[in-house]
Amino acid sequence: MTLKELFAICLLLMCQMISAQTDSINKLKEVIVSDTNLKKYSNSQSVQVLNDSIINKNQSSLTSLLNYNTVIYFKENGLGMTSGPSFRGTTAAQTAVIWNGININSQFLGQTDFNTIGTRDFNSIAVKAGGGSVLYGSSAIGGSIHLNNDLEFKKDFSNHLFFSAGSYDTYNANYRTMVSSDKYSLQVSFSRNSSENDFKYPGNSDQRNSNGEYYNTSMNTTFGYKIDSRNVIKVYSQFYDSERHFSLTTPTASKTKYDDFNTRNLLEWENKSDRFTSKVKLAHIGESYKYFSDINSELFTYGKVETSIIKYDLAFDVNNKIKLNAIVDYNRNKGYGSSINNVKREIGSASLLLSHLVTDKWDYNGSIRQEITDNYGNPFLFSLGTRYLFTDFYRIKFNASKNFRMPTYNDLFWEGSGNPDLKPETSYQAEIGNEFFTKNFSLSVTAYYNSIKDLLRWVPSQGGGDNWSPENTKKVRAYGAEVLLEWRTKIDNHNFTLNGTYAYTVSESKQLISGELVYKQLIYVPYHKLTGAVSYNWKKVSSYFQYLYNGDIYSTPFNNPATRVKDYNVGNIGADYDFGKKNSYKIGFQIFNIWNENYQPVISRQMPGTNYTLYINLNF
């Protein structure tokens, strides 16, 4: 029986959230949420929701937003350059990026470059910690990032315009319009970001960031139409085009550039009848790139992957307390390029999800997924979580799961470095969380443990230099604790908000050194990360301060202290004034790295010192 036939047969047979803002997923009652399963089956895990009020205080990249507001560490190769997360001590390819319910991690890299995602194209951005492979497939091990375009069906017409100009000839623009009625809803957004990115190195006035210029353009369209009271058609579309000149690590290095073009299209039909909700999703995702090793040459390497997805989701409300979901999906991708010769991959899966509200204080959810692949076996995955409300201010929750990740095209086939003998990795993890909350205060403390077998990661070659290669690390353990804090108060016209996060992370691989088995911290995983933000609003004046601390990081597998990346502290401030009466017309400024910190997230990848931005933010 072929994979396609099995999928056809399956088709026929067929959280508590600590929010970074008060208007979290639980308050989205008048809109159609693009990823309903995130809300329904993640109650036992930590989910932060970042909305417009937080998004507009940060630079336009997803890296900046998450770096200053979550526990995730980012390995950023310079401002605007490639950027990958380390979530709970895992690699960048173990964090899934979910676009309106669809996994969009690159088939080449297995990860998403967070500097290629603009934040102002989305209504909200959610961050779910911990395993999610049952819902979102390969790579959802450390956590998942959810980019949501939610539709609102009520009579409305609104426009949003944001424009900023800053140091190093940096310009950002975003226009978003929303038109809706009781029958239809349309959102269109356009973003453009560019920078010469030629900053002087802090503490060294003679050296500048060379060959660092970049630009990117994106457009998002979301449309929903209510055929009748039971049927809704939704269309999501996005394209992204960019060019980046990779910053030089030495003045004599060759100048390079990288072009990429990504398209994402999703069609969804939702039907509701009594206690059943049926959803059919058809998606097509395209990704392509060109890499010029010499910017003055016409020669380049390239790659392209086309991915098609069919997904069917049938939800059944057994009663007011028990909900079931059956999901089957089929994923086919085909890639080719300079180092890849027309390879393809087919993946099918069937999942069953259960949510049960036992009492007003206790609920649990359970999920299973059978993955079916054409070249990596048939992994069986599960997730089980529960939460219990002990008092009106304290709740405890628990979650355990099995997750997995398959090798990517680059892992297997990259010319000169790929390894066709790589194995898929598997992960068993558990976490326990404690939540304390009052009307204006919330505190979440979560401890976790993650055991990973055959971890896939790229490491520096033993010969040194810039050569990296993929390998399976037989055994890795990651454990630690995360703290999320929020406090709000209002005194007359004075509004204060305090947010903070802290992560303690141990992520170790077992190695044989001098005949002895020892554990060594994975490269580019800090033991400590701390963020904080204070906001103050008075009448039409708003202001804020952001803080980021990253601890020391090892850059070699054997934890050589001589090559550690030193810790750093970065602070940002901003303020604006609203000149509008009926509508909102804000003019403001931002100062980044106010202490002119001289720091490098990655060795030889310098970040800018103190820099400035002026902006206007119009809503009408």
Side-chain angles (χ1 to χ4, degrees):
M1 179 180 294
T2 67
L3 187 61
K4 294 179 181 178
E5 291 171 336
L6 181 57
F7 175 80
I9 292 173
C10 292
L11 186 60
L12 290 172
L13 291 176
M14 294 281 320
C15 337
Q16 173 61 31
M17 304 170 186
I18 292 296
S19 171
Q21 297 298 305
T22 55
D23 43 349
S24 66
I25 285 179
N26 290 326
K27 289 192 175 181
L28 297 175
K29 295 182 179 180
E30 60 178 0
V31 303
I32 294 181
V33 180
S34 63
D35 187 3
T36 55
N37 286 334
L38 174 65
K39 175 182 177 181
K40 290 164 43 178
Y41 297 103
S42 300
N43 290 332
S44 59
Q45 294 176 282
S46 174
V47 178
Q48 284 180 280
V49 179
L50 310 175
N51 63 12
D52 286 349
S53 61
I54 283 290
I55 291 172
N56 289 333
K57 291 176 182 176
N58 291 267
Q59 293 171 295
S60 59
S61 72
L62 189 58
T63 296
S64 176
L65 175 69
L66 301 183
N67 205 15
Y68 284 94
N69 295 282
T70 73
V71 296
I72 305 173
Y73 164 75
F74 281 89
K75 180 186 173 185
E76 188 173 13
N77 290 278
L79 183 65
M81 303 298 103
T82 56
S83 174
S86 174
F87 205 157
R88 289 190 170 180
T90 61
T91 67
Q94 292 172 315
T95 296
V97 176
I98 311 301
W99 174 71
N100 294 305
I102 299 295
N103 190 322
I104 61 170
N105 276 23
S106 168
Q107 298 298 323
F108 287 114
L109 303 173
Q111 65 188 66
T112 295
D113 183 346
F114 279 57
N115 274 338
T116 66
I117 301 292
T119 58
R120 295 186 175 94
D121 291 324
F122 306 99
N123 304 118
S124 65
I125 297 173
V127 179
K128 185 176 83 69
S133 288
V134 171
L135 281 175
Y136 303 109
S138 176
S139 75
I141 293 178
S144 52
I145 313 300
H146 301 257
L147 312 174
N148 303 312
N149 295 106
D150 303 322
L151 291 168
E152 183 174 304
F153 287 91
K154 69 175 185 179
K155 189 174 182 179
D156 185 37
F157 174 62
S158 61
N159 297 272
H160 171 85
L161 176 64
F162 178 91
F163 177 78
S164 68
S167 303
Y168 329 122
D169 289 322
T170 301
Y171 302 98
N172 302 294
N174 172 259
Y175 172 72
R176 184 171 68 230
T177 184
M178 291 177 279
V179 185
S180 61
S181 70
D182 295 337
K183 292 286 291 183
Y184 68 88
S185 181
L186 173 66
Q187 300 176 21
V188 178
S189 67
F190 174 85
S191 294
R192 171 76 176 191
N193 306 291
S194 66
S195 178
E196 288 299 311
N197 202 20
D198 56 350
F199 57 86
K200 289 184 178 181
Y201 286 7
N204 184 352
S205 59
D206 296 329
Q207 189 172 357
R208 284 184 175 271
N209 187 48
S210 179
N211 196 57
E213 58 262 42
Y214 64 85
Y215 78 81
N216 58 70
T217 304
S218 65
M219 182 175 180
N220 276 263
T221 302
T222 307
F223 177 74
Y225 180 73
K226 285 187 175 181
I227 301 173
D228 52 39
S229 61
R230 295 176 180 265
N231 293 277
V232 180
I233 294 289
K234 289 168 278 184
V235 180
Y236 305 87
S237 182
Q238 181 186 46
F239 81 80
Y240 175 89
D241 175 65
S242 79
E243 178 179 305
R244 283 182 288 182
H245 297 192
F246 288 148
S247 301
L248 304 185
T249 55
T250 62
T252 58
S254 297
K255 293 184 178 182
T256 63
K257 74 172 182 177
Y258 187 89
D259 299 340
D260 58 347
F261 183 75
N262 300 319
T263 61
R264 302 171 185 123
N265 295 282
L266 171 63
L267 172 65
E268 179 180 326
W269 172 32
E270 178 179 321
N271 172 267
K272 294 183 178 181
S273 58
D274 299 327
R275 290 182 290 173
F276 288 91
T277 301
S278 171
K279 294 182 181 180
V280 179
K281 292 186 176 183
L282 304 175
H284 182 271
I285 299 171
E287 56 175 305
S288 61
Y289 74 87
K290 292 181 181 179
Y291 173 70
F292 296 79
S293 58
D294 183 350
I295 201 171
N296 297 314
S297 172
E298 295 296 325
L299 299 177
F300 58 85
T301 58
Y302 71 97
K304 185 173 183 179
V305 175
E306 302 285 341
T307 301
S308 299
I309 301 170
I310 303 173
K311 187 174 184 178
Y312 179 69
D313 184 327
L314 180 64
F316 174 54
D317 294 343
V318 179
N319 52 42
N320 292 333
K321 295 186 176 182
I322 300 176
K323 301 181 185 298
L324 293 172
N325 264 72
I327 303 174
V328 291
D329 63 68
Y330 169 70
N331 184 316
R332 183 182 187 274
N333 56 66
K334 184 177 182 180
Y336 59 90
S338 304
S339 303
I340 299 174
N341 185 22
N342 291 328
V343 294
K344 67 177 183 178
R345 176 177 290 171
E346 294 182 275
I347 306 168
S349 72
S351 305
L352 183 64
L353 317 175
L354 165 68
S355 177
H356 185 192
L357 179 63
V358 182
T359 69
D360 292 339
K361 294 185 176 181
W362 176 37
D363 64 9
Y364 69 88
N365 56 74
S367 309
I368 56 174
R369 176 180 177 125
Q370 180 64 63
E371 195 88 6
I372 306 167
T373 70
D374 54 358
N375 50 7
Y376 282 108
N378 305 315
F380 176 78
L381 310 174
F382 67 84
S383 176
L384 178 65
T386 185
R387 60 179 181 171
Y388 187 81
L389 183 67
F390 279 94
T391 70
D392 58 359
F393 63 86
Y394 171 65
R395 175 167 36 227
I396 191 171
K397 56 188 180 181
F398 173 81
N399 184 272
S401 62
K402 177 186 177 183
N403 306 276
F404 87 115
R405 185 171 81 84
M406 292 186 296
T408 67
Y409 286 159
N410 282 6
D411 293 334
L412 299 169
F413 308 119
W414 188 258
E415 186 175 1
S417 299
N419 182 358
D421 298 322
L422 291 172
K423 303 175 184 178
E425 65 186 38
T426 56
S427 160
Y428 292 90
Q429 54 188 280
E431 64 181 78
I432 185 167
N434 299 272
E435 297 176 354
F436 306 87
F437 45 86
T438 62
K439 181 180 179 180
N440 298 319
F441 173 83
S442 64
L443 173 67
S444 171
V445 181
T446 303
Y448 62 88
Y449 185 88
N450 188 0
S451 177
I452 305 174
K453 179 182 178 182
D454 294 323
L455 173 74
L456 292 159
R457 61 179 182 143
W458 286 68
V459 298
S461 62
Q462 294 184 354
D466 294 329
N467 296 321
W468 292 56
S469 59
E471 66 176 26
N472 282 115
T473 300
K474 187 173 183 180
K475 187 173 182 181
V476 171
R477 63 184 184 186
Y479 59 91
E482 298 169 345
V483 179
L484 307 176
L485 169 70
E486 179 182 31
W487 173 72
R488 292 173 175 269
T489 190
K490 181 177 181 180
I491 303 173
D492 297 327
N493 292 322
H494 304 275
N495 296 275
F496 300 89
T497 303
L498 171 67
N499 294 96
T501 74
Y502 170 72
Y504 171 70
T505 308
V506 178
S507 184
E508 303 172 320
S509 63
K510 183 184 288 188
Q511 301 181 24
L512 182 64
I513 301 178
S514 302
E516 182 181 357
L517 286 174
V518 297
Y519 280 95
K520 293 290 186 179
Q521 182 84 343
L522 295 188
I523 62 173
Y524 290 103
V525 176
Y527 286 107
H528 304 281
K529 182 189 176 183
L530 175 70
T531 73
V534 179
S535 299
Y536 167 68
N537 300 330
W538 175 70
K539 294 183 178 179
K540 294 191 174 187
V541 177
S542 300
S543 61
Y544 73 92
F545 167 76
Q546 288 179 327
Y547 173 76
L548 166 66
Y549 170 77
N550 269 315
D552 288 345
I553 302 164
Y554 291 111
S555 65
T556 60
F558 294 101
N559 294 175
N560 181 358
T563 59
R564 283 189 301 179
V565 179
K566 70 174 185 177
D567 62 341
Y568 53 87
N569 299 268
V570 183
N572 306 322
I573 61 173
D576 60 45
Y577 182 81
D578 191 346
F579 288 90
K581 295 183 179 180
K582 182 179 180 180
N583 298 311
S584 177
Y585 304 130
K586 293 183 178 180
I587 297 179
F589 71 91
Q590 295 167 307
I591 304 176
F592 302 106
N593 194 0
I594 57 176
W595 301 306
N596 201 37
E597 180 84 347
N598 185 357
Y599 72 103
Q600 300 176 352
V602 177
I603 287 180
S604 300
R605 295 296 182 179
Q606 186 68 46
M607 296 296 284
T610 303
N611 59 98
Y612 310 89
T613 293
L614 297 175
Y615 67 87
I616 59 172
N617 192 354
L618 311 178
N619 292 277
F620 54 95

